[in-house]
Structure formats: C-alpha cells, structure tokens
C-alpha cells in the first residue's frame, strides 16, 4: 500500500489529556485536521485517576484559549477563574466537553504502539523527510491499525511510568515483591474501599514534591479523624531539610501551592509525621508479620511500616518511539534545547524560560513531545506551559513561523517545585566512635502551625500500576 501525500494527512495527537486536546483545538483553529488517539476510554483518563486531588492552579490557569474558543458555540461556561478544580472537575467540566466538541477527531481505546516514517526505519536516510509518519495503533477490541500522519504530537504524558522507590533510579531490591503494600499515587483516603488500608496504620511516604505534600496532608487529616486514631506517617527524604524543602510558602505566586507545602510542614510539626533525612532506599524487606522494612544504601533500617507510598516523580515512556530519531538530553530525557531551561537543579516552575516549537524540535522533523512528556524527568511543569507549547507547535506545523516563534508566557514564581536537585552536604559529622551504621534520624520541625491541608497536584501529574509493571 502506498502512503498518501503528506499534505492530505491529519496531524496525529497522542493523548486526550490537557495538552493533547489543547493541541487539537489549536490545529482546528489553524484549519488543520487533528486525529487524537487516547488509550483510555474517556477524555482525561489519566487525570481521572487522581480525581480526588485538587490542583494548585486555578481554573483561569488550566484552560486553553483556543479550546475555549472551540467550546463557546456549545454554550459551555467557563468555571469561576479564581477557584481551584479537582482532577475530577477538570476532566468532567473541561476535558470531556472539549473532546465531545472534537467528535470523531478523538478516538478512545486506541493505544499507540509504534511511530516511524513510512517504509523507513531509523537507519534509512533516503527520502526520509518526504515520507509521512506511520502510526501503529492497538484498539481496545483487539484490532490493529496503521495510520499515516503529516506530523505527530506526543502528549501522552508520564503518568503511566512512575519512578521507583530505589535511590539509584532502579526499583529497590524487593520492591516488586512488595507491590501489594505499595502505591505510586496519592491515595483517596475518603474512599471507603481505600481508607481502612491506611487508618490506624504506619505509612512511609517517599518524595519531596507536591504529591508527597498532598499525601502527608491527607494522612494528617486521617490521623485527626475519629476513625484514624493511631495513623502515623514516616516521611522519607533522600536529602536533608533545608529552607526550600516545603516550597515557596507565603511567597509562592500560586497561593494554593505554597499552602500545600506549609500543610506538609504542619503534618510534621504536629507530630503526625516523622521526617527521616538522607535516606536513599536500597531494599524493601518483610518482617515476620509481613510488614515492610526499608533499608538504606548506608545500611540503616527503619522500623516496619504497614504501607508505602512512593511519590518520586515520573519518567517518559519512549519505547513506542524507538524508530524515530529523537534528540534527548541524557539526564532529563527532555529535548536537547529545552533541557537546560528546565533543569530542576537550576530552575523552579516560575523561572522556566518561555519556549515553543524550536526548543521542542528533534532531528526527526515533524514530531514533537509536548506537555509533561516534553519535560522528561523534570518536575517543574505547569499546564499553562503546555498550552503555550502546543500553540507554537500548531503554528509551526501550519507554516506560520512568525506566530510560532512569538512565544509569550509569564509563570508564577516560587522558590522550588520539587525534584531531584543536588545532594546535600552531610548535616553532621557521623564519623568515629562506633562500628555500626547510624540510626535513622527522626526530625521534629518547629512548633505546631495552624495551616489548612490544601491538597494539590502538578497540572499534568496525571495510572494505577507501579514501576514494576504491576
């Protein structure tokens, strides 16, 4: 079968989440035909998996202008711009209506299994750029399909590939075997099917970003409830406690994000969580009662916990792009030109330089990774960043380079957005005096503070399943 002329083909968009649907809206606005392929059964399938979590961005910051323009004729009314949606609100009140407007241009239950150039694997140079993209799709009903595209926008996010508990970036020894007691998402502690798993139990939380703050705040609320007596959190930090550990606080221009960090601090200050610093997990063992014992790289062992919540970030799924020539930073797995702008060692969400199609380009012309996936392993992403990305990319695909290059974006500033960062210097001299490894350091911070437990999540931090494929 001969591939059709490239100019006659749609632009394939992978993922019907916030960035993917916004990309489709911008393509429509440019007179181009999008074809959105979503693996889940509904729009925002990944977002719905954290429906119970409230964003730290307001409605005014999580809807796209081109999408609003497309929705307007339907009678859609934008929610109050100053209020904060939950993941469920975002999906039901914005993403699903947007997918409905796009109609047959969005296909659900369609998993992209491979992307390449028609008749060319990644080795072949001859006439490569003149060939359309070929996209292989596996449908929920078992059908397989081959589609052709003039360009590909991968907005599939990182939600399906959480990072593991192991401090080396690999799963800790025993992590897969302990999957029945580990979750890689913020649990919905109001769900009667989930709440008993954590109520009155000792839970370890690994991570230092918005998701970890949310989990600590949720567990503290549970500990203060009538049915939560005995609930205790152990907060495991790979680094030490510093001024930036709890985020921007009152100085954060996204107030709910700042309040979230303060809520996590309150959980520790009020005794609902103990902080264990400088602990990089190497192994997860079980005691005689089946509880989990975390072992650090330096040999330290924590007291057993009943449950483990691993919130150490996400990483991009790149296997289905193996025949495409991508240019990715070796550390962040983000586009080469973008990586220095988003390096979490140097940048917070508010200091990311505005960027568009040129920073998102790859050696393979016509393919773009956008949204959370474009950031690779960097945790500094905000939804409004993704909307500006897809506006620029859609303009570039349409041939309007003047508009594509005019990238304008002002992001709220904050002291920190989380992430790996640099290792801290030792907090104290632990040499001399003994033959054994030091005991885990449990830290109480400050004095109790009356801080509301504001739940939040980074805009595209949107699966069940963990790093072991469970």
């Amino acid at each position: 079968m001969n591939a059709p002329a490239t100019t006659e083909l749609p632009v394939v968009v992978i993922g019907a989440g916030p960035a993917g649907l916004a990309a489709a809206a911008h393509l429509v606005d440019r007179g181009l035909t999008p074809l959105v392929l979503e693996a889940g059964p509904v729009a925002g399938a990944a977002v719905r998996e954290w429906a119970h979590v409230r964003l730290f961005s307001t409605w005014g910051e999580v809807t796209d202008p081109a999408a609003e323009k497309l929705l307007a004729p339907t009678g859609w009314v934008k929610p109050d711009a100053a209020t904060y949606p939950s993941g469920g609100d975002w999906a039901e009140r914005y993403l699903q209506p947007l997918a409905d407007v796009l109609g047959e241009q969005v296909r659900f239950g369609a998993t992209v299994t491979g992307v390449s150039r028609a008749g060319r694997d990644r080795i072949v140079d001859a006439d490569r750029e003149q060939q359309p993209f070929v996209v292989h799709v596996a449908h929920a009903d078992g059908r397989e399909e081959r589609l052709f595209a003039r360009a590909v926008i991968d907005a599939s996010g990182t939600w399906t590939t959480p990072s593991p508990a192991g401090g080396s970036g690999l799963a800790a020894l025993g992590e897969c075997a302990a999957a029945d007691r580990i979750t890689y998402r913020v649990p919905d502690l109001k769900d009667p099917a989930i709440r008993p798993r954590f109520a009155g139990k000792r839970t370890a939380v690994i991570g230092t970003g918005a998701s970890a703050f949310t989990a600590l705040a949720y567990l503290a609320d549970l500990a203060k409830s009538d049915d939560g007596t005995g609930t205790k959190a152990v907060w495991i930090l790979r680094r030490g406690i510093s001024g930036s550990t709890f985020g921007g606080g009152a100085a954060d221009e996204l107030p709910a994000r700042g309040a979230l960090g303060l809520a996590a601090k309150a959980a520790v200050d009020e005794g609902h969580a103990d902080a264990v610093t400088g602990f990089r997990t190497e192994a997860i063992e079980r005691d005689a009662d089946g509880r989990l014992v975390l072992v650090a790289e330096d040999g330290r062992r924590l007291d057993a916990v009943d449950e483990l919540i691993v919130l150490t970030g996400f990483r991009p799924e790149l296997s289905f792009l193996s025949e495409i020539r991508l240019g990715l930073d070796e550390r962040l797995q983000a586009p080469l030109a973008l990586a220095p702008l988003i390096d979490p060692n140097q940048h917070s969400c508010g200091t990311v330089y505005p960027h568009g199609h040129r920073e998102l380009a790859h050696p393979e012309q016509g393919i773009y990774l956008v949204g959370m996936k474009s950031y690779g392993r960097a945790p500094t992403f905000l939804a409004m960043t993704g909307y500006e990305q897809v506006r620029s990319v859609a303009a570039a695909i349409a041939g309007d380079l003047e508009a594509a290059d005019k990238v304008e974006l002002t992001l709220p500033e904050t002291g920190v957005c989380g992430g790996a960062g640099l290792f801290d210097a030792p907090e104290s001299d632990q040499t001399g005096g003994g033959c054994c490894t030091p005991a885990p350091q449990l830290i109480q911070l400050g004095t109790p503070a009356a801080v509301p437990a504001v739940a939040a999540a980074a805009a595209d931090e949107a699966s069940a399943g963990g790093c072991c494929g469970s």
Side-chain angles (χ1 to χ4, degrees):
M1 175 180 173
N2 294 325
T6 301
T7 55
E8 301 172 1
L9 297 172
V11 177
V12 164
V13 179
I14 306 173
L21 291 174
H26 281 278
L27 291 167
V28 169
D29 194 47
R30 288 277 174 181
L32 301 176
T33 301
L35 178 57
V36 183
L37 303 175
E38 167 57 46
V42 291
V47 174
R48 294 172 192 269
E49 294 193 21
W50 48 274
H52 59 290
V53 179
R54 191 163 300 282
L55 279 74
F56 51 58
S57 297
T58 64
W59 271 114
E61 296 156 338
V62 298
T63 59
D64 175 81
E68 293 181 20
K69 180 180 176 181
L70 201 59
L71 284 164
T74 70
W76 178 81
V77 177
K78 182 176 179 176
D80 184 346
T83 61
Y84 296 88
S86 65
D89 295 333
W90 203 15
E92 289 293 339
R93 301 177 64 185
Y94 170 65
L95 299 178
Q96 191 62 55
L98 181 53
D100 291 343
V101 170
L102 290 165
E104 294 182 355
Q105 292 172 316
V106 182
R107 299 182 186 177
F108 298 107
T111 300
V112 173
T113 59
V115 180
S116 187
R117 290 282 189 179
R120 308 288 188 274
D121 62 21
R122 68 182 296 153
I123 299 175
V124 179
D125 290 330
D127 299 323
R128 186 176 189 88
E129 293 182 4
Q130 282 68 53
Q131 302 304 312
F133 289 95
V134 60
V135 181
H136 283 208
V137 183
H139 292 274
D141 60 7
R143 290 182 300 114
E144 292 183 327
E145 185 178 12
R146 180 177 63 171
L147 302 170
F148 295 101
R150 64 183 294 173
V152 175
I153 299 175
D154 182 358
S156 59
T158 58
W159 178 247
T160 59
T161 47
S163 295
S168 62
L170 303 174
L173 298 178
E175 185 169 349
C176 296
D180 61 317
R181 290 181 179 262
I182 302 177
T183 179
Y184 297 85
R185 305 295 183 273
V186 177
D188 183 359
L189 299 185
K190 294 183 179 179
D191 186 333
I194 296 174
R195 191 176 178 89
R197 179 174 170 178
F198 298 91
K201 305 292 180 60
R202 179 177 168 88
T203 299
V205 178
I206 304 179
T208 55
S211 294
F213 292 167
T214 301
L216 291 169
Y218 279 3
L219 289 168
D221 285 345
L222 177 58
K224 291 181 279 189
S225 67
D226 293 340
D227 63 339
T229 302
T231 301
K232 184 75 174 184
V234 180
W235 185 21
I236 299 173
L237 299 89
R238 293 171 178 171
R239 298 171 287 167
I241 297 288
S242 70
S244 64
T245 297
F246 297 99
D252 197 321
E253 291 187 15
L254 288 177
R257 182 173 58 192
L260 178 61
L262 296 177
K265 185 177 186 300
V268 177
D269 289 345
E270 295 170 1
H272 301 303
D274 292 326
V276 181
T277 62
F279 193 98
R280 298 183 179 90
T281 307
E282 180 176 79
I284 300 174
E285 301 174 355
R286 289 186 187 264
D287 66 9
D289 298 323
R291 302 173 79 206
L292 303 183
V293 177
L294 275 62
V295 184
E297 293 173 350
D298 60 11
R300 288 181 292 165
R301 302 170 67 88
L302 296 183
D303 291 339
V305 297
D306 300 286
E307 299 288 339
L308 174 60
I309 302 175
V310 180
L311 301 168
T312 52
F314 297 84
R315 52 188 62 178
E317 169 55 55
L318 300 168
S319 61
F320 64 86
L321 299 174
S322 62
E323 294 304 314
I324 293 295
R325 298 174 178 179
L326 298 178
L328 298 175
D329 178 75
E330 63 183 12
R331 294 183 304 118
L332 296 182
Q333 295 180 297
L336 283 168
L338 177 60
L341 308 182
I342 62 174
D343 185 343
N345 295 316
Q346 305 293 330
H347 295 281
S348 70
C349 299
T351 63
V352 172
Y353 187 81
H355 59 276
H357 74 108
R358 295 194 185 278
E359 291 82 3
L360 298 170
H362 293 276
E364 192 84 67
Q365 294 183 21
I367 187 163
Y368 301 92
L369 277 57
V370 303
M372 188 68 207
K373 189 163 186 176
S374 71
Y375 273 42
R377 299 193 183 199
T380 49
F381 184 79
L382 291 173
M384 61 184 80
T385 302
Y387 295 154
E388 180 63 8
Q389 286 180 342
V390 298
R391 184 206 62 77
S392 175
V393 165
I397 294 172
D400 186 353
L401 294 184
E402 181 179 357
D405 288 336
K406 190 178 180 181
V407 182
E408 297 178 355
L409 180 64
T410 301
L411 293 172
E413 293 184 0
T414 181
V416 69
C417 293
L422 299 173
F423 284 0
D424 292 312
E427 295 180 270
S428 61
D429 183 3
Q430 295 178 340
T431 61
C435 63
C436 305
T437 55
Q441 185 180 10
L442 301 180
I443 298 177
Q444 287 278 288
L445 301 176
T447 56
V451 180
V454 180
D460 261 8
E461 266 190 20
S463 114
C467 65
C468 303
S470 57

